[in-house]
Amino acid sequence: MHGAPTAAVVKADAYGLGAAHVAPRLLAEGARHFFVAQLSEAVALRPLLPGAMIGVLNGFSAGEAGSYTVHDLTPVLGTLPEIAAYRAFAARIGRKLPAMLHVDTGMSRLGLSDAELDAVAEDPGLLGGIAWRYAMTHLASAELPNDPLNEVQRRRFADACARLPPMARSFANSSGIFLGAAFRSDLARPGAALYGVNPTPGRANPMRATVRLTAPVLQLRDIAPGQGVGYNASWVAHRPTRVATVALGYADGYHRAASGRAEAGFDGARVPLIGRISMDLLTFDATDHPALQPGDRLEMIGPAVPPDEVAGWFGTNGYEVLTSLGHRANRIYAAL
Ligand SMILES: *Cc1c(COP(=O)(O)O)cnc(C)c1O
């Protein structure tokens, strides 16, 4: 697993963590290739990433053609009409412009179809006039190492590249990097793994935690058996209970779907969430945690409560846990 060049995917505000902070740090650590989804994201990052390639995964929008040259951006092109439009733009300004070529090998979202590949193989001129940096494709099931689709996509990509003019290749996302040497290419494109999401679900996380979300206890109150907690009194005390009310809610990206099943970390232990998640407040059963005081902070996401586990409570994946993070929290950028 050593020695393969690696880009950094910083789309969606670096998976919710703040691309304006994250991307320059990755540049300082040696990353020279970055990917975002949208043109506007690339334009915003360009001044922060001098000299780096910035790939725009969603491609070329002819209505904003000038932005790609003004900001030195590299669109990822995935249809023949899109390629033709980019070539026409390049010809109009008399320059050979950079691009990446997206090939669909199983996602059926973006990228040249088999029929378009046939057309290109028959008439390589369809790709003329463009400085092709990489051919790329995207894995659909890389986090499931036993899914046969991985090998199918690997073979389709190799076959496609054999029919294209020679160019470098970009293949694996975070989980793809861990599928083994056959999935290595000239440029991996990890996103989630950079932010501490486990790229190998079901196995120990090879990545370090990068995010910690804590929230303070506002009040503690003792309630009697039979007393309800929160909206609709969906949780009812069955013993004398100490309720901790914490300043976080679904408006902060702590999904309401986790009502009644989440936990928070405190002092090396887990405190169970009780009742409905409100917009701005959470309630916990602190009865078994007598040390907990108003002002103490519970770890909602972090080394003790990994995003992948929170994802289980939210009914989603670690990616969405991060991209859901709200903007009310005070964000501090430091080593964990
Ligand atoms: C988002 C994305 C990635 C990064 O995927 P991770 O699973 O977060 O590593 C790589 N390539 C493409 C095309 C993407 O859209």
Side-chain angles (χ1 to χ4, degrees), residues 15-279:
Y15 290 43
L17 303 186
H21 291 85
V22 168
R25 179 58 191 266
L26 290 166
L27 183 75
E29 296 289 340
R32 292 294 175 267
H33 303 82
F34 292 81
F35 287 94
V36 292
Q38 299 187 358
L39 174 61
S40 60
E41 298 179 291
V43 170
L45 283 179
R46 171 46 79 204
L48 304 176
L49 297 174
M53 187 198 94
I54 303 180
V56 182
L57 292 167
N58 283 5
F60 174 64
S61 74
E64 299 163 288
S67 286
Y68 294 84
T69 47
V70 168
H71 302 286
D72 183 21
L73 306 176
T74 302
V76 180
L77 307 178
T79 71
L80 289 180
E82 191 185 15
I83 292 167
Y86 194 60
R87 189 178 49 245
F89 169 61
R92 204 157 57 242
I93 64 171
R95 287 172 56 188
K96 194 164 181 175
L97 297 177
M100 289 177 57
L101 183 61
H102 196 157
V103 178
D104 178 32
T105 58
M107 282 289 270
S108 307
R109 281 190 329 189
L110 297 172
L112 294 188
S113 66
D114 285 348
E116 287 178 305
L117 267 174
D118 289 343
V120 163
E122 218 157 278
D123 179 6
L126 291 171
L127 299 181
I130 295 171
W132 293 106
R133 297 287 188 249
Y134 296 88
M136 64 159 266
T137 196
H138 191 44
L139 288 160
S141 295
E143 79 283 9
L144 306 173
N146 296 324
D147 192 319
L149 192 49
N150 293 321
E151 179 55 21
V152 168
Q153 289 191 270
R154 190 197 65 73
R155 208 174 50 243
R156 283 188 187 150
F157 188 44
D159 291 348
C161 288
R163 304 177 72 195
L164 294 170
M167 65 179 93
R169 302 176 189 187
S170 173
F171 193 10
N173 65 340
S174 295
S175 294
I177 292 170
F178 294 87
L179 289 177
F183 290 81
R184 214 177 287 162
S185 66
D186 301 302
L187 188 69
R189 301 185 313 275
L194 299 177
Y195 311 114
V197 173
N198 187 356
T200 61
R203 288 187 278 152
N205 191 350
M207 310 307 291
R208 271 196 268 165
T210 64
V211 181
R212 178 187 278 130
L213 175 66
T214 68
V217 174
L218 297 177
Q219 293 191 5
L220 289 162
R221 70 183 57 236
D222 293 309
I223 63 171
Q227 204 165 325
V229 173
Y231 285 115
N232 311 122
S234 67
W235 190 89
V236 177
H238 57 85
R239 61 171 178 171
T241 298
R242 176 161 294 177
V243 179
T245 304
V246 166
L248 195 81
Y250 60 74
D252 303 296
Y254 204 85
H255 291 192
R256 191 168 176 273
S259 296
R261 48 204 184 121
E263 293 175 345
F266 176 69
D267 204 14
R270 288 293 186 91
V271 189
L273 183 133
I274 54 175
R276 291 265 147 84
I277 289 169
S278 308
M279 188 181 291

